Amino acid sequence: MQAEVPNARIPALAAFLAENRSRAHRVMHHLIGLQRPFLLKSDLHDAVEQLCRDDEQLAETALARALFQAQEAAIDASWVYLALRHRVAKWNYLRIHLETMDLNEVTVSEFLRFKEHLATGGHDDPFGLEIDLRPFYREQQKLTEEGSIGRGVEFLNRRLSSRLFDELGKGDQRLLGFLRMHSYRGHQLMLNDAIGTVAELRNALRQAMIPLRRRPTHTPYTDLASELRGFGFEPGWGHDAARIRETMSLLLDILEAPSPQTLESFLSRVPMIFSIAIVSPHGWFGQSNVLGRPDTGGQVVYILDQVRALEREMHQRLAEQGIDIEPRVLVLSRLIPEAEGTSCNERLEPIAGTRNAAILRVPFRNAAGEVLPHWVSRFHLWPYLEGYALDAERELLAELGGRPDLIIGNYSDGNLVASLLSQRLGVSQCNIAHALEKTKYLFSDLYWRENEERYHFSAQFTADLIAINTADFVITSTYQEIAGTDDSVGQYESYSSFTMPGLYRVVSGVDVYDPKFNIVSPGADEDIYFPYTDDQRRLVHLHAEIEELLFGGPRDGESRGVLAERERPLLFTMARLDRIKNMTGLVDWYGRSAELREQADLVVVAGHVDPGRSGDDEEREQIETMHRLFEQHGLDGQVRWLGIHLEKPLAGELYRFIAERRGVFVQPALFEAFGLTVIEAMSCGLPVFATRYGGPLEIIEDGLSGFHIDPNHGADATALIADFLRRCAEDADCWRAISEAALARIEERYTWRRYAERMMTLSRVYGFWKYVTDLERTETARYLEMFYGLQFRPLARTMAW
Ligand code: UDP
Ligand code: LCN
């Protein structure tokens, strides 16, 4: 995003450069000497620290401070361009001439053009396609404080209530229209035609309250229905006299003087959500035998838990409002005929632990219209999605007997399909990213061409931009997913400006100050991940199997390494065998750390041991690397690598089994969007050492409820773990303190109960917002449709399919 807020560092820097040319030259020549056109934050940081060793006062100068604030530098023979991020999501771009040390501020577009020129060697291209959504934001209300980012619904409630106040006063009928539009299968809810104006509504509410006050609290709605209907009220106000009174008083308060709290409480009761479609096409979406396969991890766990929690919440809310309707939740995923022993070839699969929820699978079709039989990686599915959306729409409507009331997209592919569906059906859309790939791979945008064949980021980032901007609201698991930290750029923030040379440059793609962003963190299934101390519930019958898994002999093609001793504490890690998960990194650090090897053994549950069993390029590479590390460090007696996919109850008991033996869980990812394994382990009371890049930074309070490790400094990580284990060996309280704090942290922040309550309230508030502001969105929708037609479609269609 372009500079809006003055950055006090810039005039100070200009003055410093003018007055200290030779000192500045020395610094700049050091940067040039690194001989790289692009320097990242960490490179700049290291460079300045090195310079400060010879020139101690340098650290106090405006130049050093600016370089510390820079996220990126782009350098050629004459210029250094810097991207400064002086506050969360507030950027300034400037350039310094290497001879004269003149400084000018440049626009984001100029900065991106300079990067394009450096990356491709091409000429500056002022007429290259620019994507700029800023003009569409002009009318919108935006947050101003970085501390408010991710709390969009609170902001919206405040805005909505004051707007309602103004507009109701001017005789606005929209609230009335909104209350009248609710119906279920032809049955009117909330209000009927007897009430035609706001004054009549107020009057009817007052009238209805008189007999309601006289009735005993628990008088059921059925006994009150005909009387209420006479006043103009249909079902939906409450299941008994007390609840109806409360709902009506809330509305009377709103008509009198709306406050954010009453508005939220009232809206959260309105029966608006009877069915939800959750879109998640990629990977293997099933209830067993899928986790740990390529592209199949936390998202599947998240959605299945989410479905259970949402269904329970929907059911409860409808029952409280006196509406006897079974809510429906459908997960739209992909039907894979070659199902490899999973249920992914079944069209409809009921979801365990729910009353009425199911997975609805719809196949992909190739260019000739034939059903695609095999699994496809999430990086190669772009050409299939449009046809999929149309087929899915048909099946969804047939299955639900009408439109869903909310569509939730998941990950880039699901969010794009959710955008297509919600536009066509006129339904509210919620996005959940799970992980945005852009920040995971270095220079994934700038050098997109080099990665195109393998990853197709061009289509993915285009899809992301479209989906983020069409969504009515976005749910994230953490703050940093949206807006990063003081030092790091948020995943969503990284879409605010970037360039894919030769394709298009984005000067304003996403604004993290948009009130559509809301942090609603997931939990871990409490029936599966409960504390190791909860003896009554422990799955003792699985212990023999776990002993065999951990300490047994070789398993045919499924394991490598046999632990020589049984008594030592265990380091445990479990993830898909993706490069980013850095399982091989952890094994390498462990292999190199004599002190850690002395303290504990390592158990790795990841991927396959036999590369012949893997159908994924990245996974095969990791398998080969893992074997090489076993050889290189002689790990066969100390590391147990299990190439199996654990079912959840077994995984849950395994965390507890390891906790009981005073072990720890390690999550060493190079980057982790959220990290469900982290909260699972913590929910079992197992202390966690997890990457400081991504979600775990926020989940864990370092040194209190677990520890942060830096995957770029493996030796420090192993020293930290070894030191912890040494202290725990001397003093058992040391381990217990972390374990207890981890449990407390989960209870406070990461539960599905809280999630479902928030999600249901958000969907109502944003639904209301959409209803009262719908007109303002047409321009954006049209712009995005053009972007879809002119960019996404050709990109997707030129892929092999
Ligand atoms: N998981 C599992 N068995 C395995 C591998 C993974 O049950 O063999 C589960 C793990 O417990 C967690 C999910 O898969 O629930 C992985 O989620 P996470 O957020 O850690 O990573 P993702 O795979 O989504 O990147
Ligand atoms: C996908 C990921 O990569 C993880 O970081 C998340 O925890 C998971 O989805 C659930 O949102």
Side-chain angles (χ1 to χ4, degrees):
M1 192 114 327
Q2 220 159 349
E4 294 154 1
V5 179
N7 181 349
R9 297 257 154 95
I10 296 177
L13 176 61
F16 176 85
L17 293 172
E19 286 156 22
N20 300 272
R21 290 213 2 214
S22 66
R23 214 161 165 208
H25 267 128
R26 223 173 21 253
V27 172
M28 295 304 171
H29 280 105
H30 181 83
L31 299 183
I32 297 168
L34 297 172
Q35 296 195 328
R36 283 161 49 194
F38 302 106
L39 298 177
L40 298 176
K41 186 172 180 69
S42 54
D43 304 319
L44 290 166
H45 203 275
D46 292 350
V48 179
E49 285 212 320
Q50 198 182 335
L51 284 161
C52 289
R53 264 175 241 138
D54 297 334
D55 178 356
E56 277 178 18
Q57 264 83 56
L58 184 69
E60 300 307 315
T61 64
L63 177 56
R65 277 197 285 266
L67 291 174
F68 276 132
Q69 202 180 65
Q71 281 295 331
E72 199 182 351
I75 307 171
D76 76 352
S78 317
W79 298 98
V80 170
Y81 278 61
L82 295 174
L84 304 189
R85 182 176 179 267
H86 65 283
R87 271 175 57 196
V88 167
K90 296 290 180 198
W91 295 77
N92 298 93
Y93 302 93
L94 47 91
R95 63 176 192 176
I96 300 169
H97 192 269
L98 290 171
E99 273 313 309
T100 61
M101 290 295 145
D102 284 346
L103 176 150
N104 330 99
E105 274 203 71
V106 294
T107 62
V108 59
S109 172
E110 285 166 316
F111 178 74
L112 294 174
R113 274 153 48 190
F114 185 68
K115 281 176 64 174
E116 288 162 17
H117 152 69
L118 287 183
T120 63
H123 292 296
D124 180 22
D125 179 12
F127 298 111
L129 174 62
E130 290 197 347
I131 302 301
D132 186 0
L133 281 136
R134 213 172 6 183
F136 300 107
Y137 301 152
R138 223 176 5 229
E139 298 297 312
Q140 278 181 21
Q141 301 291 329
K142 286 293 161 67
L143 312 169
T144 48
E145 295 304 316
E146 59 195 55
S148 308
I149 292 174
R151 302 203 327 243
V153 77
E154 290 173 31
F155 174 85
L156 216 56
N157 273 329
R158 282 199 297 273
R159 288 285 317 139
L160 271 170
S161 45
S162 62
R163 188 165 162 168
L164 260 183
F165 184 68
D166 290 346
E167 289 171 1
L168 283 170
K170 292 185 214 140
D172 192 88
Q173 295 274 83
R174 272 178 289 186
L175 177 64
L176 201 64
F178 172 76
L179 290 174
R180 271 221 223 98
M181 74 178 200
H182 305 291
S183 67
Y184 182 78
R185 302 245 158 100
H187 296 288
Q188 186 61 34
L189 301 172
M190 300 306 283
L191 293 188
N192 61 36
D193 290 344
I195 296 173
T197 64
V198 172
E200 282 171 20
L201 173 62
R202 193 180 281 128
N203 202 29
L205 286 167
R206 288 191 195 121
Q207 295 290 322
M209 287 294 261
I210 299 168
L212 278 171
R213 266 193 224 105
R214 273 198 246 108
R215 296 298 195 105
T217 308
H218 296 302
T219 313
Y221 172 72
T222 39
D223 292 359
L224 305 162
S226 71
E227 195 170 6
L228 289 174
R229 186 161 289 135
F231 291 114
F233 299 110
E234 295 294 326
W237 295 87
H239 67 289
D240 67 9
R243 181 89 184 168
I244 301 171
R245 277 199 304 255
E246 272 170 33
T247 313
M248 290 190 167
S249 321
L250 284 169
L251 185 55
L252 273 170
D253 283 350
I254 290 171
L255 294 175
E256 179 76 17
S259 78
Q261 290 76 21
T262 42
L263 187 63
E264 178 173 317
S265 308
F266 177 74
L267 289 175
S268 69
R269 291 174 178 219
V270 176
M272 289 166 68
I273 315 280
F274 308 101
S275 64
I276 302 182
I278 300 181
V279 192
S280 180
H282 79 249
W284 299 85
F285 201 104
Q287 301 182 77
S288 60
N289 196 21
V290 296
L291 295 179
R293 287 169 181 258
D295 294 0
T296 311
Q299 180 169 326
V300 174
V301 175
Y302 179 117
I303 293 172
L304 290 172
D305 287 350
Q306 175 199 38
V307 167
R308 284 184 271 269
L310 289 180
E311 194 198 58
R312 214 173 295 141
E313 183 74 21
M314 285 160 84
H315 192 267
Q316 187 189 331
R317 287 191 186 208
L318 289 174
E320 279 170 355
Q321 293 317 108
I323 294 183
D324 184 21
I325 290 171
E326 274 298 335
R328 290 230 57 197
V329 184
L330 281 181
V331 178
L332 261 179
S333 190
R334 184 191 154 203
L335 188 139
I336 311 174
E338 290 170 7
E340 296 185 12
T342 69
S343 57
C344 295
N345 54 353
E346 288 171 24
R347 179 180 171 274
L348 198 66
E349 179 183 336
I351 297 178
T354 68
R355 309 158 71 99
N356 217 355
I359 305 166
L360 174 63
R361 297 193 184 88
V362 176
F364 283 174
R365 290 177 188 280
N366 63 18
E370 298 147 354
V371 168
L372 197 73
H374 51 270
W375 175 81
V376 244
S377 145
R378 69 187 193 279
F379 295 120
H380 301 281
L381 45 63
W382 304 106
Y384 306 104
L385 294 180
E386 194 175 289
Y388 174 83
L390 293 175
D391 291 346
E393 176 184 321
R394 214 177 26 253
E395 301 232 10
L396 185 67
L397 294 180
E399 203 55 47
L400 293 176
R403 297 184 308 180
D405 303 300
L406 174 69
I407 297 178
I408 306 177
N410 294 273
Y411 189 74
S412 308
D413 57 337
N415 288 327
L416 184 74
V417 174
S419 304
L420 299 177
L421 289 174
S422 63
Q423 295 289 321
R424 285 172 56 84
L425 299 174
V427 171
S428 293
Q429 175 192 349
C430 165
N431 282 12
I432 305 176
H434 296 281
L436 289 163
E437 299 293 340
K438 195 158 162 298
T439 36
K440 278 200 203 168
Y441 297 79
L442 211 54
F443 299 124
S444 54
D445 42 13
L446 200 56
Y447 292 112
W448 66 278
R449 270 191 215 281
E450 281 78 346
N451 292 317
E452 193 57 5
E453 209 176 313
R454 187 163 184 184
Y455 293 119
H456 295 293
F457 286 139
S458 61
Q460 181 152 10
F461 301 164
T462 308
D464 287 336
L465 282 170
I466 294 169
I468 298 167
N469 283 291
T470 47
D472 295 288
F473 64 107
V474 173
I475 296 290
T476 73
S477 299
T478 60
Y479 177 93
Q480 61 89 38
E481 182 178 340
I482 313 171
T485 63
D486 284 346
D487 299 325
S488 64
V489 180
Q491 291 182 62
Y492 280 99
E493 184 186 358
S494 79
Y495 285 74
S496 60
S497 64
F498 65 97
T499 180
M500 291 195 277
L503 197 57
Y504 57 81
R505 80 179 69 97
V506 177
V507 296
S508 180
V510 169
D511 183 358
V512 301
Y513 287 86
D514 191 311
K516 70 167 59 170
F517 290 101
N518 285 281
I519 307 161
V520 185
S521 309
D525 184 341
E526 292 169 34
D527 291 333
I528 305 266
Y529 307 104
F530 53 83
Y532 75 100
T533 46
D534 197 344
D535 293 334
Q536 304 290 318
R537 297 167 72 202
R538 292 285 302 269
L539 309 178
V540 185
H541 62 282
L542 295 178
H543 285 189
E545 187 179 345
I546 291 178
E547 295 254 359
E548 183 56 33
L549 274 177
L550 297 178
F551 305 115
R555 300 165 67 90
D556 192 22
E558 287 187 335
S559 74
R560 171 145 193 193
V562 173
L563 299 183
E565 288 180 46
R566 280 175 178 246
E567 303 312 320
R568 292 149 57 78
L570 293 175
L571 312 176
F572 174 38
T573 193
M574 171 168 73
R576 291 178 290 116
L577 201 45
D578 214 72
R579 192 181 67 81
I580 295 286
K581 294 289 181 186
N582 200 26
M583 295 283 100
T584 47
L586 173 61
V587 170
D588 189 30
W589 309 339
Y590 177 79
R592 289 171 193 278
S593 167
E595 49 167 354
L596 190 55
R597 291 177 68 167
E598 210 171 282
Q599 305 269 339
D601 289 341
L602 172 62
V603 174
V604 178
V605 175
H608 294 286
V609 172
D610 171 4
R613 294 196 188 180
S614 173
D616 185 76
D617 292 348
E618 213 172 286
E619 190 178 63
R620 265 195 307 270
E621 268 169 27
Q622 291 291 304
I623 295 171
E624 308 286 0
T625 309
M626 195 72 103
H627 284 295
R628 221 174 28 248
L629 290 167
F630 266 72
E631 300 300 333
Q632 186 186 334
H633 299 302
L635 295 175
D636 284 289
Q638 278 204 281
V639 179
R640 175 79 159 169
W641 170 22
L642 295 164
I644 53 175
H645 304 137
L646 295 183
E647 292 302 312
K648 280 169 65 180
L650 187 61
E653 196 53 32
L654 182 56
Y655 289 118
R656 288 186 288 271
F657 193 91
I658 290 172
E660 204 163 36
R661 283 159 182 72
R662 299 296 181 262
V664 302
F665 187 78
V666 190
Q667 212 289 15
L670 301 176
F671 179 80
E672 180 62 58
F674 181 66
L676 287 178
T677 52
V678 173
I679 57 171
E680 291 165 3
M682 290 169 74
S683 306
C684 294
L686 181 60
V688 178
F689 289 75
T691 180
R692 60 185 318 286
Y693 297 111
L697 184 72
E698 220 164 296
I699 302 172
I700 293 173
E701 307 136 293
D702 190 30
L704 186 67
S705 44
F707 299 90
H708 299 153
I709 55 176
D710 187 337
N712 303 316
H713 296 106
D716 294 346
T718 48
L720 187 74
I721 303 172
D723 176 58
F724 175 70
L725 292 175
R726 198 175 311 109
R727 282 188 289 123
C728 294
E730 285 159 14
D731 173 9
D733 284 346
C734 170
W735 187 94
R736 217 173 294 123
I738 300 288
S739 167
E740 282 168 12
L743 288 168
R745 179 77 175 163
I746 295 297
E747 182 51 34
E748 174 193 280
R749 294 255 187 126
Y750 303 101
T751 65
W752 283 111
R753 280 168 275 133
R754 198 180 151 274
Y755 178 98
E757 184 282 313
R758 280 286 76 204
M759 186 74 170
M760 280 295 99
T761 298
L762 292 187
S763 40
R764 284 164 169 79
V765 175
Y766 284 91
F768 180 53
W769 177 246
K770 189 181 170 92
Y771 179 82
V772 291
T773 59
D774 217 16
L775 288 173
E776 293 164 18
R777 293 157 188 271
T778 318
E779 294 88 336
T780 327
R782 286 314 224 173
Y783 183 73
L784 293 168
E785 275 166 26
M786 187 142 71
F787 192 35
Y788 177 84
L790 298 180
Q791 285 295 319
F792 178 81
R793 269 189 142 190
L795 285 168
R797 287 191 175 167
T798 49
M799 286 178 207
W801 62 310

